[in-house]
Amino acid sequence: MTEAAHVTATRRSYDTVAADYGRLLAGQLETTPLDRAMLSGFAERVAAVDGPRVIGDLGCGTGRVTSRLRDLGADVFGVDLSPGMITVARDGHPGLRFEVGSMTALDLPGASLGGVLSWYSTVHMPEDELAASFAEFHRVLAPGGYALVAFKVGDERVRLERAYGHEVDLHVYRWSPDRLASLLTAAGLVESARLVREPDAGEKTPQGFLLTRKPGA
């Protein structure tokens, strides 16, 4: 199957920025306490799942959030579209597992995870790809498992031609919490909690977080 042009452009863009992305965002979580609170709550919920408790950080980038989950006691691994990002993740976090892969076609057995994290990793996806990714989240989650999705709040698509000190070719999608929640619900995931916070320094939009659960346990 031929890969969509925007997927190829996204991979190439992140391969290009990987090293500087890792350097520039390394300490970002230390300045965003509400983000850390959502991650901590997610990790605690997954730790209480009656079944598999492994977390897949899907769209893990350079592994900074994967590492945070590991520090919270989670059994976690990372997957990302960009080989360049995965190289930086492996170099920076040698005790963790990272693989190249796509969120729309995960190389994982069904019902094998207790948690799925999508930390801004769907922001470059149009709605049809979002629906495909959320269907994959549902497939790989065990009954009772949780998915946490972080996203940029809004109702528009923005093109980026420069980011992290490099030329890129990226489209960034902003979603209303209600619209994103409806897509997750359509995939079979039930909303458990949501948070919308005002932008911090360097952010242009409010930031949203949706915690959902796969029913059945």
Side-chain angles (χ1 to χ4, degrees):
M1 182 180 296
T2 303
E3 183 176 80
H6 74 274
V7 175
T8 302
T10 298
R11 178 189 293 108
R12 288 175 177 168
S13 294
Y14 279 103
D15 284 346
T16 298
V17 306
D20 286 316
Y21 179 103
R23 177 179 58 82
L24 292 169
L25 297 187
Q28 187 185 48
L29 280 172
E30 304 311 317
T31 66
T32 51
L34 294 178
D35 300 15
R36 296 198 306 272
M38 289 300 293
L39 282 172
S40 295
F42 166 66
E44 287 188 29
R45 289 289 181 90
V46 174
V49 167
D50 184 14
R53 296 175 182 174
V54 179
I55 295 175
D57 182 1
L58 307 182
C60 64
T62 57
R64 64 190 182 91
V65 183
T66 324
S67 176
R68 170 70 63 166
L69 287 172
R70 187 265 313 277
D71 293 345
L72 291 170
D75 182 0
V76 61
F77 66 94
V79 176
D80 199 89
L81 180 70
S82 162
M85 297 291 261
I86 290 297
T87 296
V88 174
R90 289 172 175 166
D91 289 345
H93 310 285
L96 288 168
R97 177 166 64 95
F98 297 99
E99 303 292 341
V100 176
S102 169
M103 286 187 291
T104 60
L106 293 164
D107 186 19
L108 295 169
S112 59
L113 301 181
V116 163
L117 177 67
S118 172
W119 197 256
Y120 298 99
S121 54
T122 60
V123 297
H124 305 301
M125 291 184 171
E127 189 166 314
D128 60 335
E129 287 183 12
L130 270 183
S133 290
F134 293 164
E136 279 290 85
F137 294 1
H138 183 274
R139 181 184 69 82
V140 300
L141 278 174
Y146 288 88
L148 175 61
V149 179
F151 59 100
K152 297 178 183 294
V153 176
D155 59 0
E156 61 184 339
R157 181 182 71 174
V158 177
R159 186 177 181 195
L160 290 182
E161 296 181 336
R162 189 165 185 83
Y164 310 108
H166 298 270
E167 292 183 1
V168 297
D169 182 8
L170 294 169
H171 291 278
V172 178
Y173 292 82
R174 299 167 180 170
W175 298 96
S176 75
D178 286 343
R179 181 58 186 149
L180 210 62
S182 72
L183 291 171
L184 288 159
T185 298
L189 299 167
V190 178
E191 183 177 343
S192 295
R194 71 170 67 183
L195 169 69
V196 176
R197 65 164 176 80
E198 289 302 302
D200 282 340
E203 296 173 341
K204 297 180 180 179
T205 67
Q207 309 295 301
F209 307 84
L210 284 168
L211 180 66
T212 63
R213 182 175 181 269
K214 180 175 178 177

